[in-house]
Amino acid sequence: MTTVDVPAELVRVPAEVKRERILGVVYLILAAIVAFFFAMGSEGDATFRLGEAGQDIDLTFSAAGFSWVVSAIFAFLAVIHLTRGIGRKSNLVLSIALVLFAFAFLAWAAAGSSFSLLGMLRTTVSAATPIAFGALSGVLCERVAVINIGIEGMLLTGAFMSALVGTVTNPWVGLLAATLSGGVLALGLAVLAIRYRVDQIIAGVVINIFALGLTSFLSSQILVENPDRFNRPGVLQAFRIPLLADIPVIGPILFNQNIFVYALWISVALTAYGLFRTRWGLRARAVGEHPKAADTLGVNVYRMRYLNVLLGGLVAGFGGAYFTLGSVGAFNENMTAGRGFIGLAAMIFGRWHPVGALAAALVFGFADSLQVRLGILDVGIPSDFLLMAPYLVTIIVVAGVVGRARPPAADGQPYVKE
Amino acid sequence: MERIAPSHIDWRSVVLVPLLAVFTALVIGALIIVLTEGPDDVVPAYVALFRGAFVGISAISETLTAATPLIIAGLSVALGFRAGLFNIGVEGQMTVGGMAAVFAGFALSGLPLVIHLPLAILAGFIGGAIWGGIPGWLRAQTGAHEVITTIMLNFIAYRLIDYLLKQPAIIREGRFDPISKDVLPSARLPQLLDWITPSLRLHGGFILALLLAWGIWWLLFRSTIGFEFRAVGSNPSAAAYAGMSVTATTVLVMAIAGGLGGLAGANQTLGVLYSVSPGFTSGIGFDAIALALLGRSHPGGVVLAGLLFGALRAGGQVMQVRSGVGIDLITVVQALIIVFIAAPALVRALYRVRAGEGAGQLTRGWSA
């Protein structure tokens, strides 16, 4: 909240300074935790395995030494935050810092033994996939200034439809049905938000409640009664992309996954290109920043908004199919467990940019897979607390960056054509 | 603000639109039954719904019992809306508040009811107030949007009670499934109708809910703090210019709203269940959103909407048992009700009546 009308570059607004201080203190605390718990508490070497079965790529290092280095980096970051401030790049720095913290944690947990980092990174990518689709859906909608809180409901409906239709016909038709069902919900959101100018956050929450109620109802009426006929769609297995999957370390992580992961790479690339390199993208962004100006120049504001929200719904519906076809192979009530909202957080963290959203989703996916790994390593933290990790990271991230990140100027405001 | 709380009562938007919204939602619900169960099931299902909600003293007792936590939770969401904050964290606040109340209810012993019960209720309020105050503080200090933080805290609360229900101090003796010890009789909300038949579950929480509704009405429309709440809700910049602290108000609103959520949880654990097990909130926190919108964020409206939703819940249980149509249908009907309430133009188009304006802008975007 600026009180003086001076360009933002010339004056450091107090909120900004306060946030730098908060982050500075956070880094100090992290440095202390790493030093006192991980560095002083670990003995021996930790080995991170980076090869697939049969491959021998190991990373062996002193767990304590690594933690001391990480602690020093955090202390250094704290000093910068408290004195000079980091400014625009602090999101990126924060992500890297969180990952470093996690590695110090893992080194401490694995000190004296070894564990498969490759496996963990593969889980990271697959756990990040639905979150990234959700975030991408958010980017598409919010770039035209329609807030989409209904992503969670679209993911859930996608998961349900892919299970039902996927079992009755085949998984590929199920995938199509999931995509379309996301589109139908998005159309509902678009009509409420654009035509009837309903408060967009409320419209989105309605979509979520509706989707939760309908999928739970249909699941208890149809799927549970006869799971073999209606809830056994099977899983779309991972397949190696020749050559690319043979690259050491990176290959198995990025190119030995299922169709959802590959679709994600393509969707992110297409959206990034589309938004910033095509006429459609320029118009969409104009509608999101200043709809009146866009309208004056002959852009059909309503049509752009309908189109993008619809696209966002299709993307979210497709991503929802991941929960069944790409993961456990059956639908359960409320199985998305807040991933749509985490996707929104990833969108904000990624500054409304497709690539940023993907990177942020990977951070959340990392938190998710870390939680699984730590459960296996049995580090003495109760599993219920480990399960909180993705949600806690989301809160920390949103608290750390919002306000600094600038949403599209007209975000959330209905447009009335004069 | 005028659109949410019109100074003159426009009977069309206050009475007609909600009635038509409920009616239309029930019609669509019937269509869903036709599609999933067949046309023969609609009449038995809705007859069971109606009988379970209204016919006989037992049905009415169940309706009021179900309405009680809904009213309290609805007040929590409504209070937030009035201050421009969207509390979708009632589920988590109920979970934490209900747990705190149960803990106070079995850990303190040897106290008389007049001391023990208020202490347990207070514990519920404080638990919820902390759970709601955290997102309020985050919002005020860092701008983190309460829609995301409250949802995340819901999930954290679920995991928290999963953990707590494994601790020897809390888990019921001799049990391995997650269920807490029972609340002592001295901390239970007294039954109101057990002199008629012991099975009637209506309890003192209902009176508490009505008192809370009156209290929130007084707070919002008769007190200075409430005026500040509403001022911050309708125009934060103007409120700040007039010398009000937006930061302090945000934290206070969320803490009180969270406290109400906690009371809704305590109401369930001290009045109905007498213990905590996972999922004891059963979606009441989400129903509360629909209810607050239906009640136009006015405490009186929330009470009426709460009674309606209580009837749907109580009747839905009977419908599920008698006709096999799942109670989740009620959630769908409720979501449809909000759609029509939030977009009265839809009702207008369907029935060709003049309907007032919609709910308008109730929440703030990411950066406001």
Side-chain angles (χ1 to χ4, degrees):
Chain A
M1 241 177 253
T2 328
T3 43
V4 200
D5 273 339
V6 183
E9 305 86 62
L10 298 182
V11 71
R12 290 286 297 270
V13 282
E16 190 83 352
V17 175
K18 191 156 71 184
R19 216 166 278 118
E20 293 277 3
R21 281 202 199 118
I22 293 174
L23 275 174
V25 174
V26 168
Y27 281 124
L28 270 185
I29 296 170
L30 288 180
I33 294 174
V34 173
F36 287 111
F37 289 97
F38 304 155
M40 290 179 167
S42 47
E43 272 173 43
D45 289 347
T47 303
F48 288 175
R49 292 198 307 276
L50 277 168
E52 286 179 285
Q55 276 177 310
D56 202 26
I57 315 171
D58 285 349
L59 211 63
T60 304
F61 53 89
S62 152
F66 177 71
S67 292
W68 282 119
V69 173
V70 171
S71 176
I73 293 173
F74 283 170
F76 176 69
L77 286 174
V79 171
I80 295 188
H81 266 292
L82 291 173
T83 54
R84 199 171 63 85
I86 287 185
R88 283 204 66 223
K89 291 279 178 208
S90 65
N91 279 6
L92 186 65
V93 175
L94 181 64
S95 328
I96 297 171
L98 285 175
V99 171
L100 274 179
F101 180 80
F103 273 107
F105 195 177
L106 283 171
W108 168 74
S113 63
S114 75
F115 98 112
S116 168
L117 183 62
L118 185 84
M120 183 178 163
L121 293 178
R122 280 194 66 190
T123 325
T124 297
V125 171
S126 53
T129 303
I131 298 173
F133 276 116
L136 206 57
S137 167
V139 169
L140 282 166
C141 297
E142 300 214 358
R143 279 290 177 175
V144 291
V146 176
I147 294 181
N148 184 359
I149 298 279
I151 293 170
E152 175 85 3
M154 296 173 189
L155 288 178
L156 191 60
T157 311
F160 174 83
M161 288 303 284
S162 62
L164 179 64
V165 179
T167 314
V168 175
T169 56
N170 70 59
W172 298 101
V173 182
L175 195 56
L176 183 70
T179 312
L180 293 179
S181 69
V184 169
L185 284 185
L187 217 52
L189 175 72
V191 170
L192 286 176
I194 301 167
R195 168 108 195 264
Y196 292 110
R197 298 196 281 277
V198 174
D199 184 306
Q200 294 175 0
I201 293 185
I202 288 170
V205 169
V206 171
I207 303 268
N208 289 335
I209 296 177
F210 180 75
L212 178 61
L214 195 63
T215 54
S216 301
F217 174 73
L218 294 175
S219 164
S220 68
Q221 298 298 111
I222 302 174
L223 302 194
V224 175
E225 306 268 308
N226 199 342
D228 282 328
R229 262 184 68 197
F230 297 116
N231 199 9
R232 287 281 152 76
V235 176
L236 296 172
Q237 297 296 340
F239 59 91
R240 295 175 68 95
I241 293 187
L243 294 177
L244 285 174
D246 296 328
I247 306 169
V249 188
I250 297 171
I253 296 171
L254 300 185
F255 302 109
N256 186 12
Q257 298 272 12
N258 60 26
I259 172 110
F260 291 96
V261 176
Y262 302 134
L264 178 64
W265 306 140
I266 296 168
S267 316
V268 168
L270 277 182
T271 313
Y273 178 82
L275 274 177
F276 298 102
R277 290 281 181 277
T278 66
R279 181 188 295 199
W280 162 72
L282 184 65
R283 289 182 173 177
R285 287 181 293 132
V287 165
E289 294 292 336
H290 201 316
K292 202 168 182 179
D295 197 1
T296 314
L297 293 173
V299 178
N300 188 333
V301 175
Y302 294 131
R303 199 167 65 198
M304 281 313 288
R305 288 193 174 175
Y306 271 108
L307 177 70
N308 269 43
V309 173
L310 182 64
L311 275 176
L314 296 173
V315 167
F318 182 90
Y322 167 86
F323 289 95
T324 44
L325 298 179
S327 175
V328 292
F331 178 81
N332 294 309
E333 281 183 27
N334 202 10
M335 71 190 305
T336 47
R339 292 296 177 277
F341 289 97
I342 297 180
L344 275 174
M347 169 198 76
I348 295 173
F349 196 33
R351 292 170 174 269
W352 286 266
H353 191 291
V355 177
L358 173 65
L362 286 170
V363 173
F364 292 116
F366 188 75
D368 230 349
S369 70
L370 182 67
Q371 166 256 117
V372 177
R373 284 291 143 172
L374 289 177
I376 297 168
L377 282 171
D378 193 19
V379 289
I381 300 172
S383 60
D384 297 312
F385 285 108
L386 292 176
L387 287 169
M388 291 178 190
Y391 308 117
L392 279 174
V393 171
T394 305
I395 291 180
I396 293 169
V397 159
V398 172
V401 297
V402 178
R404 199 197 312 260
R406 198 186 65 81
D411 210 6
Q413 294 162 15
Y415 179 67
V416 189
K417 192 176 165 73
E418 280 161 21
Chain B
M1 199 79 310
E2 245 175 359
R3 268 176 278 165
I4 319 167
S7 47
H8 62 288
I9 307 254
D10 173 11
W11 71 274
R12 280 193 204 87
S13 68
V14 177
V15 180
L16 190 61
V17 169
L19 283 179
L20 287 174
V22 173
F23 173 74
T24 317
L26 284 171
V27 170
I28 298 178
L31 284 176
I32 295 174
I33 299 177
V34 170
L35 289 176
T36 54
E37 301 287 294
D40 296 340
D41 280 21
V42 176
V43 174
Y46 275 16
V47 166
L49 180 73
F50 183 80
R51 292 183 68 92
F54 299 115
V55 179
I57 180 89
S58 157
I60 288 173
S61 162
E62 281 304 298
T63 291
L64 297 182
T65 309
T68 305
L70 288 167
I71 292 171
I72 306 177
L75 289 171
S76 168
V77 181
L79 180 70
F81 277 146
R82 288 283 170 176
L85 293 162
F86 195 175
N87 180 18
I88 22 183
V90 181
E91 279 281 308
Q93 293 146 14
M94 281 182 74
T95 305
V96 173
M99 183 74 233
V102 163
F103 189 74
F106 69 70
L108 307 169
S109 60
L111 298 170
L113 183 98
V114 285
I115 298 174
H116 197 183
L117 177 62
L119 274 180
I121 293 174
L122 183 69
F125 182 85
I126 293 173
I130 293 171
W131 220 245
I134 295 169
W137 182 81
L138 286 170
R139 173 80 203 221
Q141 285 296 316
T142 69
H145 202 283
E146 73 278 2
V147 164
I148 291 184
T149 51
T150 52
I151 282 275
M152 293 299 118
L153 281 168
N154 284 351
F155 288 104
I156 294 173
Y158 299 153
R159 299 289 91 79
L160 185 67
I161 62 158
D162 283 349
Y163 171 75
L164 290 174
L165 289 175
K166 287 173 192 152
Q167 303 314 303
I170 290 169
I171 193 167
R172 188 176 295 182
E173 288 88 354
R175 290 286 284 268
F176 296 99
D177 54 326
I179 186 161
S180 75
K181 293 191 174 80
D182 259 344
V183 173
L184 297 172
S186 59
R188 292 181 186 183
L189 286 158
Q191 303 291 110
L192 296 182
L193 298 176
D194 57 346
W195 48 275
I196 304 176
T197 317
S199 66
L200 296 179
R201 298 198 298 168
L202 185 66
H203 55 84
F206 183 66
I207 295 165
L208 180 70
L210 296 181
L211 286 175
L212 284 170
W214 179 81
I216 295 298
W217 172 82
W218 184 86
L219 178 78
L220 276 173
F221 300 108
R222 288 291 178 274
S223 76
T224 318
I225 299 178
F227 177 73
E228 292 192 1
F229 285 5
R230 288 182 292 131
V232 167
S234 50
N235 191 338
S237 314
Y241 192 71
M244 300 170 192
S245 165
V246 178
T247 308
T249 308
T250 304
V251 178
L252 191 61
V253 168
M254 282 306 289
I256 298 177
L260 286 168
L263 286 179
N267 174 82
Q268 288 306 83
T269 54
L270 302 177
V272 180
L273 305 164
Y274 306 132
S275 66
V276 164
S277 52
F280 79 93
T281 52
S282 65
I284 290 169
F286 293 119
D287 291 356
I289 299 164
L291 201 149
L293 289 169
L294 182 60
R296 296 285 152 111
S297 300
H298 188 285
V302 167
V303 171
L304 292 177
L307 291 172
L308 173 72
F309 278 29
L312 285 173
R313 254 183 188 254
Q317 297 282 1
V318 175
M319 176 180 78
Q320 171 153 299
V321 175
R322 294 259 180 87
S323 68
V325 174
I327 191 161
D328 291 308
L329 183 74
I330 299 300
T331 312
V332 179
V333 169
Q334 287 171 351
L336 290 167
I337 292 176
I338 332 176
V339 172
F340 295 120
I341 293 293
L346 274 173
V347 174
R348 189 161 44 200
L350 275 171
Y351 296 99
R352 302 183 182 282
V353 293
R354 275 183 55 213
E357 280 287 313
Q361 199 85 2
L362 284 169
T363 60
R364 292 181 233 157
W366 302 121
S367 59

